[in-house]
Amino acid sequence: MALLEVKDIHTYYGAIHALKGISIHVDEGEIVTLIGANGAGKSTTLNTICGILHPGEGTITLDGQPIHELPAHEIVMRGVSQAPEGRRVFGRLTVIENLEMGAYARSDKAGIARDMERVFALFPRLKERAKQVAGTLSGGEQQMLSIGRALMANPRLLLLDEPSMGLSPILVEAIFDTIRQINSQGTTVLLVEQNALMALSIASRGYVLQTGEIVLHDTAAALQENEMVRKAYLGIE
Amino acid sequence: MQAIKVKSRFNWLLPVKAGLLAGVIALLLALVGIVEIANQRPVIPGVLSVGQTLLLLPFLWAGYRAVRQAGSGEEAPPRFWLFVNGALAGLLTGALLTALLLVGKWINLRTVFINASPELYNLLTMGAGPAGVGILVPMIAGLVLGVVVAAISLLPERMRGSVVLGLSLIPVLAILSSALFAGRGLSIGSAIAVFVAATGGSYLWSIMQARVKERINNHPAGQRAAQWSRWALPVLIIALLPLLGKYPSEVMDMVGLYALMGLGLNIVVGFAGLLDLGYVAFFAIGAYVMGVLTSPEIGWTGIHLGFWGALPFAVITATLAGIILGIPVLGMRGDYLAIVTLGFGEIIRLVVLSDWLKPYIGGSNGITRIPKAVIGPLEFGTPQTLYYLIVAGCLIVAFASVRLKPSRLGRAWMALREDEDVAQAMGINLVRTKLLAFATGATFAGLSGAIFASKLTSIYPHSFNFMVSINVLCLIIVGGMGSIPGAIVGSLALVGLPELLREFTEYRLWVYGAALVFMMLNRPEGLVPEARRRLELHESEVESLDESGEKHVTVPG
């Protein structure tokens, strides 16, 4: 059974029909990517999964349990956490305080301390800057913090929204390496990206979104070879 | 190259700008009438009035700014130029006042500026009248003041601080004595004595400070005493304030009640970032529940409790009102929230005022004969005794705030203030966290309102107007958003100080506005800022530190 099963969800912003029947599934241990242009509905999909938005129709199940009617904070407790688009770290809080906020839903002190060490092992830079206020970090460091903060919830499913946004190519490489590492430690990842090339290189499967609909679903390798994907998202003629 | 060098020695622009700006401020002070009104209160009778002191301030500021900016460069200009700078700035400030006198001589300005009276002209010319040489008096005074400021600024640092302290203490003491003890300011002799004692004392202390501290720190007993005095001194001052008499206690009572509300609103706005403009509603609810349950005039309830019996009900009702207001505004943010809460505040006032509820809560007649609080033989009837009741309330509320801030709930509020969506995605229950913020804030305001009702023994709807909400918001902005001591200092500054200068009552809003603009420009983090906010607002300073190699920015604690 799939870890996450999204079935035919429709999400609306007022009268705007943003998601028009999206169905995806993510199996335990996978990296799955959602690629698509600006405004295709990638972030809306993630926000609907983690409960910040609620679908008008359709169902979302985690381990077979429906979660689409739960408020966001309860979905976190069930093991889904997100590093949002644009990083959105708490700028006035220190790195440590940001990470502690990530573990807000938990009460197991030993587990929190262990995960803090895990995050610092993944991102040694964050350890160096532990006492610095997050607003003064560089873009790459803020991205690391945003991912680290999401990991502090000890999620089974990690949602990453455009982790490459605004970063230099070298940093993007480093971040994607870390994502692979996080995955190999046992966390399932659902990755939303505009940088399709990078995303497909680490994912096992991918979905292509266009104006609120899934237009393509295949293995990452097959998508890399797909004529339409190559033209539209990889910039390869 | 040469041109640049000349410029660094003497920059005409600095004194001209400072002088003209100060001149505009002096004109404003003169024409709004604040100078003339304050002229009725002496600092040194026959020599200097509060109004004249007020008018001196722009001159001093102009001189200070011109001299400091000129003297702060890499290549400080020769001393002579500093005097020219100061004198020129003062002269220009005076020139604008002279221009006012000149215009006033030919045109009757009173059709537009009602305060441009002969008395004002007399004041500006120091009694010489606007005819003949008198017209030059402001310029001459400006010239002299500019030179004096330059001279003071050339003193060695320690002595300069002491002289400034000594000089500013004279008007402060004069105002305190006349406001609190119906005095008539200081005599020349006592003014000189104050100046000498303050200047000499602070100069001696600045020299001896290091040695005295070392001595104390070398003795274990001294160390203990120093540690004790850090706590004992403020406690003693707070405890003994009512000995000053009835009127100062009355002022401190108002300061305390506003501080109570400030601490509450600080939780809603400062901690949780929810801008509430209808905060007075909870104050009113606290006061009215106290009134309805205790006053013998209100018969329909069949209940006549004492202060202590009614207090829990007043506070709990306010808490519930906080939750009830919170529910409809859960989904609102920022401006929308501000508008809706503003409406709520007005609704409560209008409901209280309405004929519909008149048989139950008195309508525009209000509720009178509310009893005082009594513990055993002690009745909190006089301002002096009430003061202790209010201080006790403040202590409880301040203690609660201090404990809440670093708690789990406090961190949730902080995350909410920073980013509502992300806070939610971190597992924070938005509904609960917001409602708890509204409820806690309302509880504190309810407590304040209940004490207020018992203090006045009568309450009327007009005591609970929109301005109360604005005053409370202003005081936490001035004190420092999110800072607990800030709420108390802000209350002292915005509620306490205006009481000392009663004649400024009609300029109260004017002064609030000026204070807010000044604070936003020069100290946006408030008088006693929260550590975090200070960091955020002075980030540019932090970044400049970065370039010089110092990189670590840490939050203390």
Side-chain angles (χ1 to χ4, degrees):
Chain A
M1 187 175 50
L3 174 63
L4 176 80
E5 180 89 59
V6 175
K7 261 196 197 137
D8 194 32
I9 54 167
H10 293 255
T11 301
Y12 302 83
Y13 289 110
I16 299 165
H17 197 172
L19 297 185
K20 301 162 188 162
I22 298 246
S23 297
I24 59 176
H25 71 274
V26 181
D27 292 329
E28 190 102 46
E30 272 192 305
I31 299 183
V32 174
T33 182
L34 283 177
I35 57 179
N38 252 343
K42 306 186 299 288
S43 299
T44 308
T45 309
L46 285 198
N47 284 338
T48 311
I49 293 170
C50 74
I52 290 176
L53 297 170
H54 292 279
E57 299 153 47
T59 59
I60 303 171
T61 56
L62 188 74
D63 261 344
Q65 304 281 322
I67 58 167
H68 54 275
E69 276 168 352
L70 296 179
H73 65 270
E74 283 184 31
I75 295 178
V76 183
M77 290 178 199
R78 301 208 175 189
V80 179
S81 72
Q82 179 181 194
E85 184 178 7
R87 313 188 259 269
R88 291 171 79 169
V89 294
F90 297 118
R92 282 197 234 172
L93 274 58
T94 63
V95 168
I96 293 234
E97 287 170 323
N98 264 278
L99 294 176
E100 283 168 354
M101 285 311 308
Y104 187 85
R106 303 167 64 184
S107 50
D108 55 324
K109 281 204 170 130
I112 293 172
R114 200 173 53 238
D115 281 334
M116 185 83 82
E117 283 314 309
R118 176 188 174 203
V119 169
F120 283 149
L122 285 167
F123 304 109
R125 278 296 274 282
L126 293 184
K127 187 161 194 171
E128 287 167 32
R129 315 220 149 197
K131 293 260 176 190
Q132 195 167 329
V133 279
T136 62
L137 296 176
S138 74
E141 289 161 347
Q142 288 191 9
Q143 186 61 59
M144 295 173 196
L145 181 56
S146 180
I147 297 175
R149 188 178 59 184
L151 283 176
M152 288 302 292
N154 191 24
R156 298 174 62 194
L157 174 64
L158 176 65
L159 310 176
L160 297 176
D161 199 344
E162 303 259 9
S164 76
M165 188 198 263
L167 299 185
S168 72
I170 298 174
L171 267 173
V172 174
E173 293 268 357
I175 293 276
F176 274 82
D177 268 346
T178 316
I179 295 172
R180 203 181 283 149
Q181 210 181 330
I182 292 167
N183 178 247
S184 70
Q185 289 170 357
T187 309
T188 310
V189 176
L190 176 58
L191 170 67
V192 155
E193 258 302 337
Q194 285 201 48
N195 188 340
L197 195 62
M198 284 304 296
L200 290 173
S201 75
I202 65 164
S204 53
R205 289 183 298 117
Y207 292 86
V208 178
L209 243 79
Q210 236 169 44
T211 55
E213 283 168 296
I214 303 273
V215 291
L216 212 56
H217 166 217
D218 213 330
T219 62
L223 286 176
Q224 278 174 316
E225 296 307 315
N226 184 291
E227 202 55 31
M228 184 207 110
V229 173
R230 286 173 74 92
K231 266 194 186 155
Y233 303 108
L234 302 181
I236 303 166
E237 288 295 321
Chain B
M1 192 67 206
Q2 213 176 0
I4 290 169
K5 221 170 186 179
V6 169
K7 204 176 166 191
S8 79
R9 259 177 52 206
F10 189 73
N11 187 349
W12 289 98
L13 220 54
L14 293 180
V16 171
K17 258 177 157 169
L20 289 180
L21 187 55
V24 171
I25 294 170
L27 277 181
L28 186 67
L29 288 176
L31 286 177
V32 294
I34 200 166
V35 169
E36 210 177 319
I37 282 188
N39 199 37
Q40 289 154 12
R41 193 193 291 217
V43 173
I44 304 169
V47 181
L48 188 69
S49 71
V50 173
Q52 285 164 325
T53 313
L54 200 62
L55 203 54
L56 280 180
L57 292 177
F59 284 96
L60 298 177
W61 178 82
Y64 167 74
R65 198 172 163 83
V67 171
R68 209 189 67 154
Q69 282 190 337
S72 67
E74 286 275 298
E75 291 171 63
R79 291 180 166 199
F80 170 70
W81 287 113
L82 289 185
F83 281 100
V84 174
N85 256 319
L88 182 60
L91 189 72
L92 278 168
T93 308
L96 287 193
L97 291 180
T98 299
L100 172 69
L101 292 175
L102 266 177
V103 172
K105 217 164 133 181
W106 304 112
I107 305 167
N108 182 10
L109 287 175
R110 295 199 80 166
T111 50
V112 183
F113 298 109
I114 191 154
N115 293 305
S117 59
E119 290 81 37
L120 177 73
Y121 295 152
N122 233 349
L123 179 72
L124 291 181
T125 56
M126 294 186 182
V133 195
I135 212 158
L136 291 177
V137 165
M139 293 177 75
I140 297 165
L143 200 74
V144 173
L145 283 170
V147 171
V148 169
V149 170
I152 291 177
S153 74
L154 281 175
L155 290 173
E157 198 184 324
R158 276 182 184 156
M159 205 185 287
R160 184 175 60 208
S162 307
V163 170
V164 170
L165 178 78
L167 286 177
S168 44
L169 215 54
I170 296 174
V172 169
L173 282 182
I175 289 170
L176 279 177
S177 85
S178 60
L180 301 180
F181 310 111
R184 291 282 303 149
L186 305 176
S187 68
I188 293 194
S190 48
I192 292 173
V194 164
F195 176 72
V196 170
T199 307
S202 97
Y203 186 62
L204 273 181
W205 171 245
S206 71
I207 295 173
M208 311 276 281
Q209 194 181 21
R211 221 182 312 156
V212 172
K213 272 191 180 159
E214 201 185 70
R215 277 256 181 100
I216 290 176
N217 285 337
N218 281 344
H219 284 280
Q223 259 172 3
R224 242 173 298 145
Q227 224 144 42
W228 265 99
S229 67
R230 200 170 299 158
W231 285 101
L233 219 62
V235 168
L236 210 64
I237 291 174
I238 291 173
L240 294 183
L241 265 176
L243 294 183
L244 288 177
K246 191 173 172 202
Y247 181 65
S249 306
E250 183 87 47
V251 173
M252 288 311 294
D253 287 354
M254 279 324 283
V255 169
L257 287 175
Y258 268 94
L260 259 181
M261 281 195 276
L263 285 165
L265 190 63
N266 194 34
I267 285 181
V268 186
V269 185
F271 288 7
L274 304 163
L275 183 53
D276 183 348
L277 292 184
Y279 195 60
V280 65
F282 309 118
F283 182 61
I285 288 168
Y288 264 90
V289 171
M290 175 57 73
V292 167
L293 291 182
T294 60
S295 169
E297 278 178 2
I298 306 288
W300 61 271
T301 51
I303 307 170
H304 296 293
L305 297 169
F307 174 84
W308 298 106
L311 187 64
F313 293 102
V315 172
I316 290 167
T317 312
T319 312
L320 291 178
I323 295 171
I324 290 166
L325 164 71
I327 290 168
V329 299
L330 276 173
M332 290 176 192
R333 298 180 190 187
D335 314 356
Y336 302 101
L337 177 66
I339 298 284
V340 173
T341 51
L342 183 123
F344 182 73
E346 282 301 284
I347 289 170
I348 292 292
R349 188 178 64 87
L350 289 173
V351 164
V352 165
L353 193 58
S354 66
D355 284 339
W356 170 54
L357 284 178
K358 194 166 180 178
Y360 308 104
I361 57 176
S364 56
N365 295 334
I367 300 176
T368 54
R369 293 169 65 198
I370 299 167
K372 299 280 187 187
V374 180
I375 303 182
L378 177 65
E379 195 201 46
F380 295 94
T382 61
Q384 287 96 320
T385 46
L386 259 169
Y387 170 84
Y388 291 106
L389 182 65
I390 293 168
V391 166
C394 281
L395 284 179
I396 293 169
V397 167
F399 178 73
S401 297
V402 169
R403 292 303 300 253
L404 277 171
K405 197 170 179 181
S407 71
R408 197 173 151 75
L409 181 60
R411 289 192 301 137
W413 283 335
M414 192 159 64
L416 188 71
R417 176 187 71 191
E418 299 283 317
D419 192 324
E420 210 174 297
D421 292 327
V422 178
Q424 208 179 353
M426 296 291 104
I428 288 166
N429 184 338
L430 222 56
V431 173
R432 226 191 70 187
T433 310
K434 277 193 178 182
L435 289 184
L436 277 172
F438 281 120
T440 315
T443 307
F444 294 173
L447 176 63
S448 186
I451 300 177
F452 177 77
S454 145
K455 172 182 184 295
L456 293 188
T457 68
S458 54
I459 46 177
Y460 304 97
H462 66 77
S463 307
F464 306 102
N465 61 34
F466 174 58
M467 276 316 295
V468 177
S469 302
I470 293 300
N471 287 348
V472 178
L473 187 63
C474 281
L475 77 87
I476 63 173
I477 291 173
V478 167
M481 199 66 104
S483 150
I484 295 161
I488 294 161
V489 172
S491 180
L492 274 172
L494 288 190
V495 181
L497 281 187
E499 290 296 327
L500 294 182
L501 297 163
R502 288 241 71 142
E503 57 264 49
F504 287 168
T505 309
E506 52 181 308
Y507 296 99
R508 199 181 183 125
L509 286 178
W510 194 86
V511 174
Y512 272 25
L516 278 182
V517 170
F518 178 82
M519 290 297 292
M520 289 304 109
L521 287 175
N522 289 292
R523 223 182 139 82
E525 71 274 29
L527 291 173
V528 194
E530 191 201 9
R532 217 176 278 289
R533 228 175 127 65
R534 189 167 52 218
L535 266 179
E536 177 204 24
L537 284 161
H538 292 278
E539 222 167 84
S540 56
E541 285 161 33
V542 167
E543 274 163 13
S544 67
L545 274 180
D546 267 357
E547 283 158 20
S548 66
E550 276 292 322
K551 272 201 164 170
H552 287 279
V553 183
T554 51
V555 173

